[in-house]
Amino acid sequence: MPTYANGKVCYIEIPAVDIARSVAFYQAVFGWSIRTRGDGSTAFDDGVGEVSGAWVTGRPPSGQPGLLIYVMVGSVAATVELVVANGGEVVQPIGVDAPEITARFRDPAGNVLGLYQEPA
């Protein structure tokens, strides 16, 4: 069960041009669970079932970091390879935020998100 508490980030809407393409990307890169909501929208649950969201059309992608969402991964290096293999683009390589282990990528719709790896 997710943690429910005041102030918890709980839902994210991700702009998409082609929802099926975005679904395939996020499922392949992060293993997100995909489901259809009661209203017919395609939604996701993150890898640990703590944050959910949906892809939305008719909004421009978040192509320039303003509010920047980071996705926690076991290995930023391995995830960067998956991003590129699945149609994404690396826009900030590993090492820029050292000593933090991060990178930033652009998804197939043009949204920029970050990757974060917990230090050993």
Side-chain angles (χ1 to χ4, degrees), residues 23-56:
V23 165
F25 176 82
Y26 284 92
Q27 198 169 32
V29 174
F30 300 114
W32 288 358
S33 298
I34 310 303
R35 59 188 163 78
T36 303
R37 295 189 333 199
D39 66 0
S41 298
T42 302
F44 64 85
D45 295 300
D46 71 358
V48 296
E50 288 282 328
V51 178
S52 63
W55 288 276
V56 294

Side-chain angles (χ1 to χ4, degrees), residues 25 28-30 76-91 104-108 115:
F25 176 82
V29 174
F30 300 114
V76 170
T79 305
V80 162
E81 289 180 15
L82 286 171
V83 164
V84 172
N86 286 282
E89 169 191 9
V90 175
V91 297
R104 293 182 189 167
F105 68 93
R106 185 178 326 276
D107 73 7
L115 301 171

